Amino acid sequence: MSRHFAVFGTPIAHSLSPRIHAAFARQTGIALDYVAIEAGHDDFAMHLAAFADNGGHGANVTLPLKESAFALCSNTSERALRAGAVNTLLRDGDGWRGDNTDGAGLLRDLTQRNGLDLRGRRTLMLGAGGAARGIAPTLLDAGIDALYIVNRTAQNADALADLLGDPKRVHARYLDDLPALGEFDLIVNATSATRGGELPHLPMSMVGRRTAAVDLSYGEAAIPFLAWARANRCHDAIDGLGMLVEQAAGSFEVWHGVRPDTDLVYADLRAHTDSLVTAD
């Protein structure tokens, strides 16, 4: 009998998660169905409750609901607790257990697929929402030298810096500070602003000889930031497609106890998304 899974977020029609989990299911021989459910802050709790009432076993959560999902959990994993955000839900009795596979997914993609050594990198993260919260603890654990968090809303950057609890390495700054911050070895775009085609002014002075620029988005949403990175001669320009596949594999493992192979799934999605961008 198939178990029921879903991904919640808005906008959600573009989500590749149903395609990814269908591929994992074929690979592992696990029977499941997986659908995308449109939900915003105001109606997420209602949609999640309806999903549970209809036999929902597990779910992914994407923008902008990761912090809301954390608040709805009856218990969480240690990595979700550190992040204060959840991207993976597992039915646990009458409630939900929350986990966060974003950081582990990003780390696998950057270090194993793209061959980056994150140790000692002076790092800038644009954004302080659920996506940023999911990856920040992992970046610190991976040995980055310092993490500067820049966000349009200053108090959100301050709140994330406080949550991480590492004042020697973590620093909250504001957009107006960017020209004075110097070079970074790693720049991560964890904001959703570019989904609307908006990109804050990013000075060329932030780019050094080994700077890697990483966007957590993929497809059209990643184009503005990656175009900036290439124009300013960043050593690496990486989108979030690999992270998407790896965090999905992490969720699949939480739900089913088996980790699927990601290489073929990633290759299929890379060809698919590249063809869509080229067609546009």
Side-chain angles (χ1 to χ4, degrees), residues 137-204:
T138 302
L139 291 175
L140 293 170
D141 290 347
I144 62 170
D145 178 65
L147 177 64
Y148 288 78
I149 304 167
V150 172
N151 193 63
R152 289 183 184 276
T153 307
Q155 57 262 39
N156 290 350
D158 292 334
L160 178 52
D162 289 343
L163 177 68
L164 292 170
D166 191 347
K168 290 186 177 180
R169 287 196 294 166
V170 179
H171 315 281
R173 295 292 186 268
Y174 316 115
L175 285 174
D176 291 344
D177 297 328
L178 286 177
L181 293 182
E183 292 183 1
F184 291 95
D185 305 304
L186 177 64
I187 302 173
V188 180
N189 181 29
T191 177
S192 60
T194 52
R195 290 181 179 269
E198 300 177 11
L199 184 68
H201 174 67
L202 303 176
M204 183 180 176

Side-chain angles (χ1 to χ4, degrees), residues 97 122 126 144 164 206 217 249 255 264 270:
R97 175 173 173 77
R122 188 170 187 262
L126 303 169
I144 62 170
L164 292 170
M206 299 192 309
S217 298
W255 297 328
L264 289 177
R270 175 59 67 196

Side-chain angles (χ1 to χ4, degrees), residues 52 57 65 78 92 116 129 136 142 154 210 232 278:
H57 182 73
L65 303 174
E78 178 61 27
D92 183 18
L116 296 186
R210 72 163 185 158
N232 287 280
T278 302

Side-chain angles (χ1 to χ4, degrees), residues 22-99:
F24 289 163
R26 290 192 298 270
Q27 180 189 127
T28 58
I30 293 173
L32 62 83
D33 60 75
Y34 188 112
V35 298
I37 299 175
E38 185 83 19
H41 288 297
D42 293 340
D43 60 1
F44 173 48
M46 177 189 70
H47 285 297
L48 184 62
F51 176 67
D53 289 342
N54 289 322
H57 182 73
N60 286 127
V61 182
T62 187
L63 293 172
L65 303 174
K66 295 181 180 183
E67 292 168 85
S68 298
F70 179 83
L72 292 173
C73 290
S74 55
N75 63 82
T76 66
S77 68
E78 178 61 27
R79 56 188 178 182
L81 186 62
R82 287 183 70 194
V86 159
N87 81 324
T88 303
L89 293 167
L90 175 66
R91 197 69 178 148
D92 183 18
D94 293 331
W96 293 100
R97 175 173 173 77
D99 203 342

Side-chain angles (χ1 to χ4, degrees), residues 97-147:
R97 175 173 173 77
D99 203 342
N100 198 309
T101 64
D102 281 339
L106 178 65
L107 187 64
R108 277 178 174 267
D109 183 58
L110 294 185
T111 60
Q112 298 182 24
R113 181 169 289 112
N114 290 283
L116 296 186
D117 184 350
L118 300 184
R119 291 173 296 180
R121 289 190 183 244
R122 188 170 187 262
T123 300
L124 170 68
M125 185 165 65
L126 303 169
R133 285 169 170 259
I135 67 168
T138 302
L139 291 175
L140 293 170
D141 290 347
I144 62 170
D145 178 65
L147 177 64

